[in-house]
Amino acid sequence: MSELFDDFKSIVLNNTPLIDVRAPIEFKKGAFFNALNLPIMSDEERHEVGICYKNRGNAKAVELGHELVSGAIKEQRVQAWLDFMDANPDALLYCFRGGQRSKIAQQWIGERGREIVRLKGGYKAFRGYLLPELEGSCEHFKPIILGGRTGSGKTIELKKMQNAIDLEGLANHRGSSFGQKITPQTSQIDFENNLTYQLIQKREEGFGTLVFEDEGKHIGSVFMPDSFTPVMSNSPLVILETPLDERIDITLNEYVIEAQKAYDGAGFTDALNAWQESIENAMYRIKRRLGNQKYSEVFAIFEDALKEQKRSGSFEKYKEWVEYLLSEYYDPMYDYQIQKRSHLVAFRGSASEVHEYIKSII
């Protein structure tokens, strides 16, 4: 078996499991899909070794690394790699440049009678493969943008399409002032890497037309790649039209009922209060656009709905709050934006009609 592997495309197409032995601080900045951080050194250990490297050179730094990661600590880390390999027999190994850390990890695994292949060039080389793929991806597909007012169910319908990419899912954000989730947003690098994975996979499946939800330049704290912005902003728009009562139900379910369940499962001492704070913070973020009077009105409606939930357990009064936000904030803003791009609107229709139309033009 070869010790090194650099067929990065096959890693993408097979969603190959990866062991990332870099320090946690490196992993948080950016990693790859299906990668698990099982570091050979902690952040503190890496910091100490880095100082030693600067002051005393490579040999002394390696020596210190072996001292810091030895005995029970070494055994625990090697066992974690072996456990991952047991669960994922095709796993590969990488560090930043495919150098000492992954090579040492590979050797330690070998001492336990096992073999694992490491990425040639490590994280840097794999990232170096993905970036040009992302930059040039727009040459390989024709985008269709799925638009529609807030609550129309765009994400729900998008997930039913094989030739669609869910940008909000990749960003772990719902793309609005109320879109923040409990779990942290994807890092910019992770967003780019995961998007590139999907673009390569869709191209390999033979899709020349890809559907994306109508997004701005930013999705929460992540932003669209520069190569995407001009292409997306000038692509055909398909508008999903959904009756207001259905939009209220969809929005209520996602932002109230399911969101509260997520808070319940996240270990908060007072989950309802934590959810309430997140909603109130979101309303405050749109205060300037709403104006003082409307802000006071929507806040009062929300407080009444919250009181009713605490009293009776009913979510019904939140419908009034949702309808107010849709009609007084989201709809006027969306209609204004769509009016400026009306020349791009290729089709309008219900969910079933939108699906039929997109199938007809693939």
Side-chain angles (χ1 to χ4, degrees), residues 45 50 80 122 217 295 355 362:
E45 290 159 355
K217 174 69 175 171
Y295 173 74
H355 281 281
I362 292 176

Side-chain angles (χ1 to χ4, degrees), residues 133-150:
E133 288 286 334
L134 177 61
E135 288 301 312
S137 61
C138 294
E139 300 170 12
H140 301 290
F141 67 87
K142 175 187 171 186
I144 294 175
I145 308 304
L146 181 62
R149 289 174 166 178
T150 298

Side-chain angles (χ1 to χ4, degrees), residues 15 28 57 63 118 160 231 256 284 294 302 323 326 332 351:
N15 288 324
K28 284 176 186 172
E63 187 180 321
R118 58 194 171 99
K160 298 175 185 176
V231 176
V256 180
Y284 186 78
K294 288 182 179 179
F302 175 76
E323 183 173 3
L326 293 178

